[in-house]
Amino acid sequence: MGGSKMPNVYEINVDGGMSSLSITNTNVHEHVRNEAPIVSSYNDRIRPLLDTVDKLRNLNVMKEGIQLPTIVVVGDQSSGKSSVLESLAGISLPRGQGICTRVPLVMRLQRSTSPEPEIWLEFNDKRVDTDEEHIAEAISITTEAIAGSGKGVSDTPLTLHVKKAGVPDLTMVDLPGITRVPVNGQPENIYEQISGMIMKYIEPQESIILNVLSATVDFTTCESIRMSRQVDKTGERTLAVVTKADMAPEGLLEKVMADDVSIGLGYVCVRNRVGDETYQEARMQEEILFKTHPLLSMIDHDIVGIPVLAKKLMQIQGTMISRCLPDIVQKIKEKMEASYLELNKLPMVMTSTQEALMTFMNIIGSAKECLQRILVQGDFIDYQDDQTMHSTARLADMLGQFSDNLQAQPVIDEFLMDEIKVLEECKTIGLPNFIPRSAFLAILSQHIDAIHTKPVEFITETCDYIEGVLLSVLTKYSENFPQIQSSIKRAGRNLITKIKEQSVNRVIEIVEMEKQTDYTCNPEYMTAYTQKIAAQENFIYAVVNNYSNVHSLTAYGFGEVTVSHLRTYDAQLLRQAFDMKVRITAYWTIVVRRIVDNLALYLQFSVKNLVNNQFHKEIVAELVSPGSGGEVEKMLEESPSMTSKREKLKNSIKLLNESKEAVAAIADQNSG
C-alpha cells in the first residue's frame, strides 16, 4: 500500500452516509450511480421519523416513562469510540488521556444541502453555537459546565446538533468509556457510576446498542460486551463495530465469523483515522485497505467501512422507530388519560368559606360511610388488599383470642388448699355443714383478681386498633388537603382517647360487678354442680382412709390431682372444701362467659355508636366550632405540595399533548 505506484485516485462523497463511495474508478462508478436514488429515497423516508423522535426527545417525553428508540454507543476505554463517531459526523471530538466523554453526548446528525455546516450544543435549556474548528473545545467547555472541571462524570445529557452535507441522518447517545481503575482526580466509584449510566441507557427494549470493540483485544473479555449481554442476551438489538482493523488484521475474519459474543445485528469492521488525515483521505485509505490487504480483503465487503456502518445504523434505526411508533402513540394516550384522571381527582380551588365548609363536610361524610362499611357492615371493598383494614374480621379474631385466654384453665398446684385456707379464716360459731357465703365470695374475688387486667387489656387493644383504622380512613379522604389533614387526624385521636377512657371505666365496672355478688339464672350452673358433687363422698373416703395408699386420685371434672397433702385435715373440712371447689368451678365458667358476652356486646355497641353518632358530631364540633381556630378556613389556602402536584400534572398534559401532535401525522403516514 505504501509503494511508489498508487492505485486509481478515489474521490469520496458519502451521500447521506449510506451510499457506496462515488469514485473515479470506472469499474464501480456505475454501481454507485445506480444505488444513489434508493439511498436518497430512504433518507427522505427516515428523516421525518427521526425528526419526530428528536422532537419527542426535545419535549423530554422520556420523563413521563415513555422510552424512545435510541442508538446508544458503548465501549471500553480506548476502544476507538470517538474515532467512529468522528467519522460518522465528520467532526473532531475531544481527545486525550483517560475519559474524554464525561456526560451522555446526544449526537443529532442531519444531512443538509447547505454548503455551510450548522453546529451547536444544547444543555440545561442553553444553546452554544460553534463551528467545525472549535467543536472539540466547545464540547470540553460545556462538559465542564455540566460535570465540573475534574475528571468525574455526570448523568446530565449534552446535545450536539450537526447539520452538514454528507452526514447520515442519525441520532446517537455516546456514553463514557468503561474504565475499572480510577485515574488521578476520578472518584473511587467511577466504574459504578459509568456502568450504572450505561445500564440505564441500554436496558430499555427500544435502545439499539452500538458496541465498539477494538480488533486488538479478545471480544469475550470486553466489559461493554458483558454489559450489553446482561440486557440483550440474544443480541437482537446489538450491532458491533470493530475498530483498528489495520492494527490487528490477523484472525479478524475468524473472530467476526465465529461470533462468540452473540451479536445479533452483525459486525462492521472499520479503520480509524490516522494522524492529520482528512475524513476524505481516511475513507479513501479505508477503502483501499479492505480491498487490497491480503487478510482484510477476505472479509465480506458488506460488513466493512464507515459508509456501510452509517447505512446499517440508519436502516436499523428506521426499522426500530417504525416498530416502536404505534406503542409510543398508545403510551402517550394512556399517560394523557391517566394524567387527566388524576388532575380531575384533585380538589377544586376554593374561593369562599362556604365552599370550604361544604368540602370539609363531604370529607367527614365520605369517611363516615367508609367506616360504616368496614367497621359495621364487614364490607372491605375499599381496602381489598389490606387485611388489617378488614375490621369486622380482625375484631372477631381479637375477641376469640381474648375468650380463649380468659377461659384457659389455671394449673392447680395443691388441690383444695385455697378453699381450705379460706374456710379456716371464714369459719364462725354456728351449725356445722354450712359453707359461709363470705368464704365463697372470697374465693370468687381471688379468681377475679387473677384475670382482672385481661378485659382492660382487650378493650385497650381494640380501641388502639379502631384508632388505626379511623386514622387510615381520615388520611385517605383528606389527602388532598394536607393543610387540615393533621387537624382532622388530631380530632380523630382525641375522639378515640375519649372513647377509650369511657370503655376502660365501663369494663372495670363489669369486672367489679362480678366481684361484688354471686348470681346466675343459667341452669348450666346447677347441672355442672350436680355432676361434680356426686363424686364427693368417694373422693373424701379415699383421701381419709388412704385408699390403696395412693399419692394421687382422679376427681371427676378435675382430672388427676395430688391428695397426699390433704390427709392431715378432717373429713368435715374436706367435704366443705370439695363442695366449695365444685361450686366455684361451676360458677366460674358462667362468670367468664358472661364477661366475654358483656364485652362483645359493649364492643359492638361502642363501634356502632362511634360511627353513627360520635364520629360526625365530635370531629365537626372540634374543627368547626367558634373556638376551633379557623381550621376549615385553612382549606382556602391550597398547600404548596398540592399546587406543585396540580402544576406538574398540567405540565405533563401539555407535554403529552404536544407529543401527541408530533406523532399524529407521522403515525398516519407510517401506517399508510
Side-chain angles (χ1 to χ4, degrees), residues 412 415-416 531-540 542-543 552-563 566 578 581-582 585:
I412 301 175
F415 188 61
L416 298 184
Q531 290 173 345
K532 288 182 173 65
I533 200 67
Q536 181 187 42
E537 287 304 319
N538 289 336
F539 179 82
I540 300 301
V543 172
S552 60
L553 293 172
T554 299
Y556 178 79
F558 302 104
E560 187 173 348
V561 296
T562 303
V563 297
L566 299 177
F578 192 90
K581 171 66 77 175
V582 170
T585 301

Side-chain angles (χ1 to χ4, degrees), residues 65 155 163 237 345 493 496 516 561 636 648 656 666:
D155 201 18
K163 294 181 72 174
R237 52 188 181 91
K345 285 182 177 179
R493 289 191 191 93
I496 296 299
Q516 294 298 322
V561 296
L636 297 173
K648 183 178 178 181
L656 291 167
I666 196 67

Side-chain angles (χ1 to χ4, degrees), residues 76-130:
D76 292 7
Q77 192 172 342
S78 302
S79 61
K81 247 179 353 87
S82 296
S83 295
V84 172
L85 297 173
E86 285 179 340
S87 298
L88 288 169
I91 59 172
S92 296
L93 297 173
R95 296 293 189 96
Q97 296 296 319
I99 300 175
C100 300
T101 304
R102 298 196 292 126
V103 299
L105 180 64
V106 182
M107 298 182 65
R108 294 183 181 171
L109 310 183
Q110 183 174 356
R111 185 185 55 160
S112 172
T113 57
S114 172
E116 292 297 323
E118 187 179 354
I119 304 173
W120 73 95
L121 293 161
E122 287 180 354
F123 70 100
N124 296 338
D125 297 326
K126 299 175 184 176
R127 172 171 170 147
V128 178
D129 291 293
T130 185

Side-chain angles (χ1 to χ4, degrees), residues 145-417:
I146 295 171
S149 58
K151 296 183 179 180
V153 297
S154 169
D155 201 18
T156 302
L158 170 64
T159 303
L160 168 63
H161 295 262
V162 179
K163 294 181 72 174
K164 182 182 177 182
V167 301
D169 284 310
L170 289 171
T171 296
M172 301 174 288
V173 179
D174 180 27
L175 297 176
I178 305 166
T179 178
R180 281 193 172 275
V181 182
V183 298
N184 292 335
Q186 289 181 339
E188 289 298 318
N189 66 339
I190 187 69
Y191 170 76
E192 287 75 16
Q193 289 187 37
I194 294 175
S195 60
M197 186 189 307
I198 289 173
M199 295 301 287
K200 171 185 171 183
Y201 275 88
I202 67 175
E203 191 167 9
Q205 292 300 305
E206 295 81 2
S207 293
I208 304 156
I209 305 170
L210 180 60
N211 212 320
V212 182
L213 309 171
S214 173
T216 61
V217 302
D218 181 356
F219 296 166
T220 60
T221 64
C222 293
E223 186 69 13
S224 61
I225 286 291
R226 188 189 68 81
M227 288 186 182
S228 62
R229 291 181 71 177
Q230 281 185 335
V231 297
D232 184 27
K233 296 185 185 303
T234 61
E236 63 181 355
R237 52 188 181 91
T238 301
L239 173 67
V241 53
V242 183
T243 63
K244 306 178 184 179
D246 53 328
M247 297 174 62
E250 292 80 8
L252 181 57
L253 174 62
E254 289 75 12
K255 287 167 71 174
V256 171
M257 296 304 294
D259 188 22
D260 292 331
V261 290
S262 302
I263 303 296
L265 296 177
Y267 294 80
V268 178
C269 301
V270 299
R271 170 190 177 275
N272 294 61
R273 187 164 63 101
V274 179
D276 295 329
E277 287 179 341
T278 66
Y279 292 105
Q280 287 187 342
E281 291 169 346
R283 295 288 67 76
M284 180 180 68
Q285 292 300 324
E286 181 181 62
E287 177 78 6
I288 294 170
L289 176 69
F290 286 110
K291 282 185 178 295
T292 62
H293 192 283
L295 296 176
L296 298 179
S297 61
M298 298 173 64
I299 302 176
D300 191 335
H301 288 183
D302 287 339
I303 63 168
V304 297
I306 289 295
V308 169
L309 175 62
K311 179 178 179 179
K312 277 183 173 288
L313 286 174
M314 291 180 67
Q315 289 173 333
I316 293 168
Q317 180 178 246
T319 301
M320 182 66 83
I321 293 174
S322 298
R323 191 177 73 188
C324 293
L325 207 56
D327 286 340
I328 292 173
V329 172
Q330 182 62 27
K331 287 177 182 177
I332 289 174
K333 178 184 176 183
E334 291 172 357
K335 289 283 184 180
M336 275 190 64
E337 290 175 352
S339 295
Y340 270 121
L341 184 63
E342 191 173 356
L343 182 63
N344 291 333
K345 285 182 177 179
L346 296 184
M348 64 178 185
V349 178
M350 289 167 286
T351 57
S352 68
T353 303
Q354 187 64 30
E355 287 180 348
L357 181 60
M358 187 179 300
T359 303
F360 171 76
M361 297 304 286
N362 286 337
I363 292 172
I364 301 304
S366 298
K368 177 181 176 180
E369 291 174 2
C370 181
L371 290 171
Q372 182 80 30
R373 286 191 293 272
I374 61 179
L375 280 173
V376 178
Q377 298 170 359
D379 179 358
F380 48 82
I381 190 171
D382 299 281
Y383 298 91
Q384 289 191 11
D385 298 327
D386 186 356
Q387 291 190 344
T388 60
M389 296 294 285
H390 301 176
S391 299
T392 52
R394 299 294 78 79
L395 289 172
D397 289 342
M398 292 181 196
L399 182 65
Q401 292 171 4
F402 166 68
S403 177
D404 292 343
N405 187 22
L406 202 63
Q407 295 185 68
Q409 294 293 335
V411 178
I412 301 175
D413 293 329
E414 293 184 306
F415 188 61
L416 298 184
M417 285 309 300

Side-chain angles (χ1 to χ4, degrees), residues 20-77:
S20 299
L21 302 178
S22 297
I23 55 181
T24 57
N25 189 317
T26 56
N27 293 331
V28 294
H29 185 72
E30 185 67 22
H31 166 72
V32 173
R33 187 180 60 199
N34 290 338
E35 189 180 22
I38 299 175
V39 170
S40 177
S41 172
Y42 188 80
N43 273 336
D44 290 342
R45 293 201 310 273
I46 191 63
R47 188 67 250 172
L49 289 172
L50 194 55
D51 284 343
T52 300
V53 172
D54 283 347
K55 185 171 183 180
L56 293 177
R57 208 182 307 275
N58 277 334
L59 290 169
N60 203 14
V61 73
M62 295 174 77
K63 76 177 183 181
E64 297 294 329
I66 299 173
Q67 297 296 334
L68 300 177
T70 305
I71 298 174
V72 183
V73 187
V74 298
D76 292 7
Q77 192 172 342

